[in-house]
Amino acid sequence: MFPASKWYIPGIVDADYLVLGSGLAGLYFALRASAHGRVIVVSKRELTDNNTQHAQGGVAGVLGANDTAEQHIEDTLRVGDGLCAREAVEICVRQGPEHILYLANQIGVAFDRDKNGEFNLGREGGHNMRRIAHVHDMTGAAIHNALLETVRGYGDSITLLPNHMAVDLLTTAKYGGPNAVFGAYVFDQATGEVKTITARAVIIATGGAGRVYFYTSNPDVATGDGVAMAYRVGARVANMEFFQFHPTILYHPAAKSFLISEALRGEGGVLRLRDGSAFMGRYHEMKDLASRDVVARAIDAELKRTGDAHVVLDMTHLPGDFLVERFPNIHRRCMELGIDMRTTPIPVVPAAHYSCGGVMVDGNGRTSVRNLYAIGEASMTGLHGACRLASNSLLEALVYAARAAEDVRSASVNRPLQVAPWYAGDATVTDEAVVVSHTWDEIRRLMWNYVGIVRSDKRLERAARRMQMIREEIREYYWNFQVNGDLLELRNIALVADLIIESARRRPESRGLHFNLDHPAHEQRLAKDTVLSRGDGPAV
Ligand code: SIN
């Protein structure tokens, strides 16, 4: 139907691959795919504004002498609580180490080593083995900075576009063809112009959606944009009810979203109530190293029982020099706030951290819509099941980015000859930005209160009702006013919130990260993914 050769349409930027998002998955894809095509990477803020930069713990991989792939697989499946796709787990666990070594040997990531030059491996919740490769407590930033430097050197084959935010995907369905993606409308945050970028394939690497909750470890950019965009063009989205709450975010009025890595508990940190008593023994045999769903729920229960605002993570029994050397970033930040972890337990609370659900993909990152891929946190590969094993996320981002970069070679050109430019119609500039910020706030509080760590049928029903009204208002606002970054994010986050609520309502049981007071046990018939697609889930 459409010509197979490359062509140029005036006013339209064209590439082979358009990557939405500049975190680990997006950059690693760009690096690998640039071997066979021209890549454009768009990032809605600075290229370093992403979740990867905040990942402290590290990347899980079978790198130690006593570890085996079978043990890593077993830990992942156990924590995933019956919902992991074994194939995805095998792919990540078996192929992960080669990518970690590639980062170390080809990209120059300086992972911590012991005196013999072997990886100095950390341990985190749910792992029965030390298998976390890390760069002190700044692993994500170390990997991302090294990759960014490498990618910047790729000249014409990789174009980096910071401060550009995708508005919507372009699909041939609108032009009378079979449904395939061929680009995106992209909003230039600096000029306000909406550009048209076409490509043989679009890769969603937009990261997580933690900002949907009032308390989160995620930076401001984590608004689920890719999931929302993919859903709007008909892609299947799955398991959105499984939102992971990290047990230990720093509790301090001046600390915004600062993570206290699980690696601290991996090195012997103990969670205590404010009266000094340890409590994890009452909840799980692995105590402080139980999986995150268990630890976050235990803290939530203790806070509700005691009425305290936070619990503490006690590191004071460990050697001070070791703490400063192993966790320099956390030590620095805590000291800035007057907390010396060598002598004072760190105040912590749980907060939204990671979306285990996302755009459903196959073993090569392909979504259910042709020429649309999803990788990293925005995707649902099947690796995490109902609860992600700590530090399996950077692993998944690497493995699936590389697999998608290989598979995408076969994406065939499928573009209409004429592409309609962005049309703003009669939209005017809003003079009431407060509507956007107020609605943002409303959604985030509602999600925290009704769709948080512990849910109930009534809370979910209430959340669904309120979201319906909020989304109607947003739709009206969206069509009447000219787009800007905040409005685009609001539109996306509202849809993502709705997808989470709808998925949670379709799971009347408790499993992994989804805990419903009215259905506290597993239901065998529900041991399957919750899959939503347009027409079947919430209205777009
Ligand atoms: C952490 O350092 O605790 C976060 C690691 C992860 O989310 O996997």
Side-chain angles (χ1 to χ4, degrees):
M1 174 171 217
F2 305 126
S5 61
K6 221 184 257 310
W7 72 88
Y8 176 76
I9 303 170
I12 291 181
V13 182
D14 183 56
D16 289 302
Y17 313 125
L18 171 61
V19 181
L20 309 179
S22 64
L24 173 62
L27 290 191
Y28 200 54
F29 173 92
L31 185 73
R32 315 273 298 201
S34 64
H36 47 80
R38 284 170 308 122
V39 188
I40 293 180
V41 179
V42 303
S43 174
K44 68 177 173 176
R45 308 258 165 91
E46 296 306 320
L47 295 162
T48 47
D49 279 331
N50 49 62
N51 257 343
T52 304
Q53 278 280 340
H54 296 258
Q56 296 179 350
V59 47
V62 178
L63 298 159
N66 300 324
D67 201 3
T68 62
E70 284 66 33
Q71 293 183 80
H72 189 178
I73 290 168
E74 164 54 31
D75 286 347
T76 303
L77 294 175
R78 189 187 63 257
V79 171
D81 207 1
L83 278 200
C84 296
R86 183 156 191 127
E87 191 198 343
V89 179
E90 296 261 354
I91 286 174
C92 286
V93 168
R94 296 193 189 281
Q95 295 178 13
E98 89 189 46
H99 296 289
I100 299 172
L101 293 172
Y102 181 88
L103 291 179
N105 301 333
Q106 308 297 323
I107 309 294
V109 178
F111 288 105
D112 287 11
R113 309 271 183 167
D114 64 19
K115 58 182 186 318
N116 301 318
E118 304 296 335
F119 282 95
N120 182 344
L121 299 168
R123 191 173 166 199
E124 291 177 7
H127 290 269
N128 273 307
M129 210 27 98
R130 282 189 171 266
R131 64 167 72 94
I132 319 293
H134 59 90
V135 183
H136 299 296
D137 55 353
M138 297 166 282
T139 313
I143 294 175
H144 191 261
N145 293 341
L147 261 179
L148 191 53
E149 202 181 309
T150 306
V151 161
R152 281 191 206 277
Y154 271 55
D156 286 348
S157 56
I158 303 179
T159 303
L160 300 168
L161 285 183
N163 298 311
H164 281 71
M165 178 175 181
V167 178
D168 267 319
L169 299 167
L170 295 165
T171 64
T172 49
K174 279 211 171 130
Y175 298 84
N179 201 18
V181 163
F182 67 93
Y185 288 126
V186 176
F187 175 70
D188 180 338
Q189 309 250 27
T191 64
E193 182 194 354
V194 178
K195 298 170 178 165
T196 305
I197 302 182
T198 59
R200 277 167 55 203
V202 176
I203 292 79
I204 287 178
T206 46
R211 300 310 290 187
V212 78
Y213 285 100
F214 199 72
Y215 298 106
T216 176
S217 64
N218 291 188
D220 291 347
V221 290
T223 54
D225 306 317
V227 173
M229 275 184 283
Y231 180 82
R232 283 197 288 267
V233 297
R236 282 192 207 117
V237 166
N239 291 357
M240 294 298 288
E241 68 273 39
F242 297 117
F243 212 103
Q244 185 163 66
F245 291 80
H246 195 291
T248 57
I249 307 300
L250 183 59
Y251 178 85
H252 190 283
K256 191 183 168 203
S257 313
F258 189 75
L259 187 67
I260 301 295
S261 176
E262 193 155 315
L264 273 77
R265 278 176 285 131
E267 297 298 349
V270 178
L271 285 163
R272 297 185 189 281
L273 297 178
R274 291 177 72 185
D275 67 10
S277 57
F279 57 89
M280 275 312 300
R282 285 192 270 117
Y283 288 91
H284 200 274
E285 61 192 15
M286 285 179 85
K287 296 184 180 168
D288 299 90
L289 281 178
S291 60
R292 282 189 191 163
D293 53 330
V294 174
V295 183
R297 263 199 308 276
I299 297 176
D300 187 66
E302 289 300 318
L303 294 181
K304 287 195 170 111
R305 189 179 65 77
T306 59
D308 286 345
H310 64 83
V311 295
V312 293
L313 180 60
D314 187 6
M315 305 298 290
T316 58
H317 51 291
L318 294 162
D321 291 352
F322 165 73
L323 294 178
V324 176
E325 152 75 18
R326 174 71 178 85
F327 304 111
N329 183 39
I330 293 171
H331 174 63
R332 192 181 320 116
R333 184 69 187 124
C334 285
M335 287 301 275
E336 280 166 11
L337 298 168
I339 304 160
D340 185 343
M341 70 164 144
R342 293 168 296 187
T343 53
T344 312
I346 308 167
V348 290
V349 284
H353 183 59
Y354 189 91
S355 174
C356 292
V359 189
M360 201 172 182
V361 295
D362 69 7
N364 292 315
R366 287 186 190 203
T367 71
S368 56
V369 174
R370 196 167 150 207
N371 293 348
L372 181 65
Y373 288 72
I375 50 178
E377 188 173 346
S379 68
M380 200 296 282
T381 64
L383 171 68
H384 308 311
C387 181
R388 176 179 67 98
L389 182 65
S391 286
N392 263 358
S393 47
L394 298 186
L395 175 78
E396 181 192 51
L398 286 169
V399 171
Y400 274 79
R403 290 176 70 86
E406 195 48 39
D407 189 81
V408 78
R409 284 169 184 266
S410 64
S412 57
V413 177
N414 196 17
R415 288 172 281 205
L417 281 170
Q418 298 287 329
V419 181
W422 174 258
Y423 176 62
D426 298 328
T428 55
V429 178
T430 176
D431 56 358
E432 287 205 63
V434 66
V435 175
V436 174
S437 56
H438 174 85
T439 314
W440 251 99
D441 200 60
E442 202 177 338
I443 294 173
R444 299 181 65 209
R445 282 183 195 277
L446 175 157
M447 290 299 287
W448 183 260
N449 290 329
Y450 299 150
V451 201
I453 299 172
V454 175
R455 301 160 179 179
S456 73
D457 286 351
K458 207 166 172 180
R459 288 177 198 169
L460 292 176
E461 203 184 298
R462 202 170 278 159
R465 262 204 319 269
R466 295 209 177 167
M467 272 310 299
Q468 205 176 341
M469 277 165 53
I470 291 173
R471 291 201 55 220
E472 265 163 36
E473 282 168 25
I474 294 173
R475 265 192 287 273
E476 196 178 309
Y477 198 87
Y478 181 78
W479 292 114
N480 288 338
F481 296 105
Q482 280 178 18
V483 293
N484 61 48
D486 288 344
L487 180 55
L488 293 175
E489 286 182 341
L490 176 66
R491 176 185 179 228
N492 291 336
I493 209 124
L495 174 53
V496 169
D498 224 350
L499 291 168
I500 295 172
I501 297 167
E502 180 64 24
S503 304
R505 294 181 82 199
R506 290 187 187 202
R507 187 171 288 285
E509 66 160 351
S510 290
R511 181 185 296 274
L513 298 158
H514 172 72
F515 186 80
N516 184 327
L517 286 168
D518 296 313
H519 312 274
H522 280 53
E523 282 272 353
Q524 195 41 41
R525 71 185 169 89
L526 294 172
K528 57 183 187 207
D529 297 327
T530 310
V531 184
L532 299 177
S533 62
R534 206 178 159 158
D536 167 40
V540 288

